[in-house]
Amino acid sequence: VFFESHFTELKIGVSPDQTRLQWCVSGNPKYSVDFAPDVWYNFAYDINFSGSTVGLWASTGSAPLQRVFAQTSAGTQTNSADWHLGVLAFNQGTAKEDWYFAGVYVETDTLTTCLRSGSDASCGSVTPTSTTTTSTTTKTSTTSTKTSTTSSSTKTSTTSTTTTTSSTTSKSTTTTTTTAGPTQTHYGQCGGIGYSSFIMKAAVAFVASLFAAAHAGTIVWNGSFDYYGSASDLNNWSWSNLVGEYQYYIHGSGPVTQYVEISTAYANPGIAGESKGAKISIDQTSTWNSNFWRTELIPQTSNNLGTGQKYYHFSVKRSSTNPPLFSYEHQVVFFESHFTELKVGISPNQTQLQWCVSGNPKYAVDFTPDVWYNFAYDINFSGSTVGLWASTGSNPLQRVYAQTSASTQTNSADWHLGLLAFDQGTAKEDWYFAGVYIETDTLSTCLHSGNNASCGGTSTGTTPTTTKTSTTSTSTKTTSTTSTTSKSTTTTTTTTTATGPTQTHYGQCGGIGYR
């Protein structure tokens, strides 16, 4: 499903993952989804021909379209007869391939997010600005440059524009201003020259026989709240009595129940093998060693959580009652060095839950009340890379961001489950957490607790909303020489070794190379 100039198209069989369905802009993969058999994948190419930008909306099954990639610059052009619905393959095999298409039409000005055909102009909600998604997203900078003809196929590393007397396909990154209307001759579209001037949306869907699979890894730390009868049991932990799943010392001066409650009422019903969750709260009294509002739990373990391949699992939710104050930055589920973390209250959209690498937002999702957001930080401590898997509700985890370079480091006692807020408000905030555990080597995509290493199927299908952003945060807020937290884009190259944690009292609160 491509334009002749290849300014936007879908591909498989290209890097970084040949089995995934990848959406490309000028040959560069921008978004990808696991291409499972017998699943309909719905798309809308969101093209502004006047503004020379393109974005993507997507969903699976009967779910409405959601934005999965924001508008990005492209050499948008068409002569209204060079959009190819079908498949062109650089095949060297002998087996027949079957692809299936439906729901194909083009509309202008406003996007229909519900699924309908071109013969039915109404099917429910119509909106041009929705920002939630049901598809797996992976960003990558891999570039593919291939040129082919219908009579023979040739791969080349040079981008070119070719015109022949038969149907020729080429990629071009040339930006051309569109004019109004087609001037089509026989096979003229195959040269990729000619244009139209309107905002176009095209919706297509298809299914093919490819595979996706995942298998459970080994749990190296279990953070399930089922361990605790109530939040009061957190008080049993101290530096001289290292018991329980968590260290509990980053909180205000009030009783534990003012900052943490553990109950079956706070469990994520989509997680197998877990009956309890935690409500973690901050207010004006929770200013531990600083002016920040903060309540955080730290893994209590002698295991090394910072070597090799690790997956840090957790689910987070908010409510309409005691919601976050989005006008101020919140750091949520973070490492002390902040090489990866979640945030709200930052640019480009303060109300979205944003995943950051070294302070830079990479992925964002609308933070809707009473929806469980499931995450796994995909950390390769040996390779100094981090990626993200995510879903909502009871849906299995799907990759939403590919591995990217990061200063991966931990002393196995500086991963903070909870939140730190730069609040200047007066209202209490409640956040909810469940499904907390760390596994090694292989990712479990199905939702389960650290109590239960299996939960049935591990197939992939996605639900989170994805927004890519290049916004960088560089301001620093410092309030204490004992424990301060900063926003930083500084990256170091410390390698985490496998000797295990050597944590001193509050030692993690200074971070490594950060204040």
Side-chain angles (χ1 to χ4, degrees), residues 7 49 86 93 148 174 180 235 246-247 259 264 285 299-300 308 315 373 435 449 471 489 493 507 509:
F7 76 84
F49 285 98
S148 73
T174 305
N235 285 326
Y246 291 99
Q247 300 175 6
Y259 309 115
T264 56
T285 71
Q300 174 57 54
S315 298
Y373 294 86
S449 74
T471 302
T489 57
T493 57
C509 302

Side-chain angles (χ1 to χ4, degrees), residues 271-294:
I271 293 177
E274 185 169 80
S275 62
K276 294 178 183 178
K279 179 174 74 173
I280 295 181
S281 303
I282 55 173
D283 60 26
Q284 287 181 303
T285 71
S286 58
T287 53
W288 183 84
N289 271 14
S290 67
N291 291 329
F292 302 125
W293 291 17
R294 57 191 304 186

Side-chain angles (χ1 to χ4, degrees), residues 12-14 16-22 33-36 210-212:
I12 63 167
V14 298
D17 190 331
Q18 291 181 306
T19 65
R20 292 169 70 88
L21 187 60
Q22 302 188 50
V33 60
D34 286 335
F35 199 18
L210 293 173
F211 66 91

